[in-house]
Amino acid sequence: MLRWVWRAALVGILSIVVAGQAIAADEPWRDPGQPPGRRADELLAVMSFDQKVQLALGNFAAVAPFGVPALSSDDGPSGIRATGTTSFPSSQTLASTFDRGLARAYGGAIGAEARGKAFNWWLGPAMDIARTPLSGRQPENLGEDPFLAGETVAQEVAGAKSAHVIATLKHYVANNQEFGRIGFNQPGGGRSGGADSIVSQRALQEIYEAPFKRAIRESDADAVMCSYNRLNGPQTCEDSALLSDLKASGFNGFVAPDFLFAVKDPLAATLAGLDLPALGGPGGRTADMFTSGQVPAARLDDIVRRTLYAIFDSGAFDNPLGPAADDVSTPAHRALATRVSTDGMVLLKNDHHALPLSDGRVRSIAIIGPSGSDATYITGGSAGVTPDPSRTVTPLAGITGRAGSAVKVTAAQGSLGDAPLPTIVPGDDPGFQASYWNNGDLDGAPALTRTEPTIDLAAAPTGVGPLWSARWTGTVTPSQSGLYRFSLLQAGLATLYVDGRRVGPGYREAVQFIDGPFYPMQTQAVRLTAGRRVSIRVDYSSRAQLFGAQIHLAWAQASGIAAAVDAARHADVAIVMANNAQGEGMDRTTLALAGDQNALIDAVAAVNRRTIVVLNTGGPVLMPWLHRVDAVLETWYPGQQFGTALAGVLFGDSDPGGRLPITFPASDQQGPAPPTRPERYPGIDNVVHYDEGLLVGYRWYDATGQRPLFPFGYGLSYADFRFSGLQVSGDVATVRVTNTSHRAGSTVAQAYLSFPRSAGEPPRQLKGYAKVALGPGRSAVVSFRLDPADLATPGRYTLFVGSSSRDLPERASFDPATLGRGEHRAGTGRIRQGA
């Protein structure tokens, strides 16, 4: 090889040798030994103006001769949405683990499956802060705390980069609700701007931008996706101050827009700092913008350099994609999915040692509620990774298999949860009186009136629209007395009234979002009397529809409760599965469980004290039955390994390792954005005021003295733990954690910092955490490093350590000026095991 290089030099063909291959001296960007920024500069220097313009238009064929691969992307913060992949537990489940190692493995597995499916660009992870528990996309995000979200996502990004995949931080920024996010259909065509989030600069930096910038700082993330909403006026993708600040923070990669409606003005977005014009294609950007001088040459170079930097830095350039494989879900990935689910399940209550079930007292189990294929496994929309039915372990199968032949397992439906109903509501003679308007506001004289037997439309009637609204009125007469559930499924804005009472729902962009599951609407059960006519009214507007206007109304009598009660009465243990569907394109309208599920839990608990409620929800729910049941387990959306993970926790093979990444309110009226403050949520005239400032999540509850149902960071173990001996020395705090019980288990040591009053900060903020697994009687010393930036205000600080934001038995006050501090990496938690 040396002889070859020497001869080449003699004839003037200068080259270097990397990994056994010669790289021509006039192609130095091919050398993987160079920093990615230098490689990007070297390639940029030899590109023609036209090649730069084509790359800025999203045309990667123009740079293929340089060896630059095209970017191929797929969605899914909880996995890759292509077939033949693993349906992992939701990202919120991952946040619940409070485990950086699992987060890195999670990102690595998703990155590996992306490459296996021939994608080198992952449109995830998501880290929108849970400002309101009603937010539809909460399951695909990482909770309410920016420190927890930032630490988790930084590890996900590092894992994906280890597989040579570009990870995309989304959605930047203050994208905290679905209502109005993409704007509304306008009478003359097109859409209005997205919901306008009015946020102070301090709240923006400390709460909403913080997880993005932590991931950039700790893992050098290569892509950021700007969001649909506006921020203090401009669309985020067209906000030069916002994107300039992001890039000045050390971000070297590219900014891309969310799908379709994030960019209203392509030229303004280009000038503001949007690099890739769309998730494929030019997205309205034209070559004329560059050739006419509307976009300066320096901005064109910046676009190209950032795109190239991401491709070099991620390893996508040096590791070309192969053909897509049919199946990339490995046994190791499925085992990881099981572990993330078990470690993310949160045990909220466990009276009378109801759990675990492997105590010799259980000979029969009644499983009630959606426990088969009708259980909720994933969130919907762009985060939905539909499980392969042949590999999905249902709760019923998992529990039955683990229980074995010595335990009798009986299943009873009890409730349909909040799944869509098959029966269309029949109108009494002559049916429903329908009025249609050629506007979105039921305004003026109707354009069409007629009588219809059902409310079941997949498109507007002929002559109505394209922007339209409608009202249906009529009556129905139940044949039996009891609870009835109404299912209203629509694309647009709709409200259902039964006997004048509003029972749901509200905003919804699509009946079926992309290729995910149908989203049922959260309507409550209504008790009706046989033979008594009931008035029905439905108001509808197509203003919010995304893929086509439609509306469907159905009902069903909640007749399964009696059979469920009978099954529970004859079992040692009753396990009630309760679910809610939550996802992209729709927010919840209440924290109450949908349909007849509360009534079902009450009825079962009345006949079986050892009732265990398994909440399979996308976020907090109200629990009016809490004091009547023995145990409550939150499982979030567990993905395809649901049954295996659930059985492992219920029988004690695995400790319930999760802790709440979001506060559970005690009522709909708690928190910073209750129904009495519509200007805070969902907004007035699509303007949303973040008046709570820094008081998001547990910060609000601490500052106002409100008592939540369950606080942030809360979760029980099957073991008991004690914290002791907190000390702060320099920039390091240490605390001893001891397992005081007779069985192994895990806890999460959580460190919260209280600032001097002059800092104007919330009462306490999470600044460190560490997952601790200990055997009986064992102990560990956990250390936390404090960030110098958090200790900049002169005065006395207090560090609190414990097992949740409201259970902090250890505290230490100190003045940083007397301690001395060195350089360090913030947020690390180190564990030293001891006897």
Side-chain angles (χ1 to χ4, degrees), residues 171-174 201 204-205 208-209 212-213 224-227 229-232 234-249 251 255 272-273:
H171 307 85
Y172 199 73
V173 64
Q201 283 302 309
L204 188 67
Q205 293 169 13
Y208 302 103
E209 291 182 341
F212 290 86
K213 292 185 177 179
V224 169
M225 179 185 289
C226 49
S227 50
N229 59 287
R230 292 174 287 163
L231 177 65
N232 297 322
Q235 295 286 147
T236 63
C237 295
E238 300 168 17
D239 189 334
S240 59
L242 177 70
L243 299 185
S244 295
D245 177 71
L246 170 69
K247 294 178 177 182
S249 70
F251 176 59
V255 177

Side-chain angles (χ1 to χ4, degrees), residues 666-813:
S667 76
D668 278 321
Q669 303 304 316
Q670 285 190 332
T676 55
R677 301 298 301 270
E679 73 278 10
R680 292 184 177 177
Y681 174 82
I684 297 175
D685 295 329
N686 220 25
V687 177
V688 188
H689 290 270
Y690 287 46
D691 295 338
E692 70 279 4
L694 302 177
L695 302 182
V696 177
Y698 65 88
R699 295 164 171 81
W700 172 270
Y701 289 83
D702 289 347
T704 62
Q706 289 186 353
R707 183 177 179 179
L709 187 63
F710 294 105
F712 174 87
Y714 175 85
L716 302 175
S717 167
Y718 292 146
D720 298 315
F721 296 89
R722 182 180 68 243
F723 295 83
S724 61
L726 175 63
Q727 295 183 347
V728 179
S729 178
D731 59 1
V732 177
T734 59
V735 70
R736 180 174 291 274
V737 184
T738 303
N739 182 343
T740 61
S741 64
H742 297 291
R743 66 174 293 146
S746 66
T747 189
V748 177
Q750 302 169 40
Y752 294 80
L753 189 64
S754 177
F755 292 73
R757 186 182 298 273
S758 61
E761 293 286 341
R764 289 178 293 277
Q765 299 181 58
L766 182 71
K767 294 299 179 182
Y769 62 88
K771 193 74 166 277
V772 188
L774 294 170
R778 304 291 291 179
S779 67
V781 175
V782 178
S783 64
F784 305 98
R785 288 191 178 274
L786 304 177
D787 191 334
D790 289 328
L791 305 176
T793 303
R796 293 197 66 80
Y797 293 74
T798 301
L799 188 69
F800 300 83
V801 176
S803 60
S804 79
S805 62
R806 287 290 177 98
D807 184 9
L808 299 166
E810 290 294 296
R811 65 183 62 189
S813 294

Side-chain angles (χ1 to χ4, degrees), residues 74-76 78-82 85-86 110 113-114 117 119 122 385:
D74 199 17
D75 255 317
S78 306
I80 297 300
R81 291 180 55 247
T85 61
T86 306
I110 292 174
E113 294 199 357
K117 284 294 180 178
F119 299 115
W122 171 36
V385 183

Side-chain angles (χ1 to χ4, degrees), residues 570-750:
H570 295 93
D572 294 332
V573 177
I575 300 174
V576 183
M577 309 288 299
N579 67 1
N580 78 317
Q582 190 170 342
E584 186 173 2
M586 58 175 278
D587 286 338
R588 291 193 284 171
T589 56
T590 175
L591 296 180
L593 284 171
D596 59 339
Q597 293 180 101
N598 283 331
L600 172 65
I601 295 169
D602 275 333
V604 169
V607 300
N608 192 322
R609 177 64 207 188
R610 198 173 181 182
T611 293
I612 298 161
V613 178
V614 175
L615 292 172
N616 183 23
T617 66
V621 295
L622 304 180
M623 306 179 200
W625 34 259
L626 182 61
H627 65 287
R628 292 189 287 274
V629 302
D630 266 2
V632 181
L633 181 68
E634 174 62 74
T635 64
W636 313 112
Y637 293 157
Q640 69 182 56
Q641 301 299 114
F642 188 178
T644 302
L646 177 61
V649 170
L650 291 177
F651 284 89
D653 304 328
S654 302
D655 199 54
R659 302 297 182 265
L660 292 180
I662 183 171
T663 304
F664 273 45
S667 76
D668 278 321
Q669 303 304 316
Q670 285 190 332
T676 55
R677 301 298 301 270
E679 73 278 10
R680 292 184 177 177
Y681 174 82
I684 297 175
D685 295 329
N686 220 25
V687 177
V688 188
H689 290 270
Y690 287 46
D691 295 338
E692 70 279 4
L694 302 177
L695 302 182
V696 177
Y698 65 88
R699 295 164 171 81
W700 172 270
Y701 289 83
D702 289 347
T704 62
Q706 289 186 353
R707 183 177 179 179
L709 187 63
F710 294 105
F712 174 87
Y714 175 85
L716 302 175
S717 167
Y718 292 146
D720 298 315
F721 296 89
R722 182 180 68 243
F723 295 83
S724 61
L726 175 63
Q727 295 183 347
V728 179
S729 178
D731 59 1
V732 177
T734 59
V735 70
R736 180 174 291 274
V737 184
T738 303
N739 182 343
T740 61
S741 64
H742 297 291
R743 66 174 293 146
S746 66
T747 189
V748 177
Q750 302 169 40

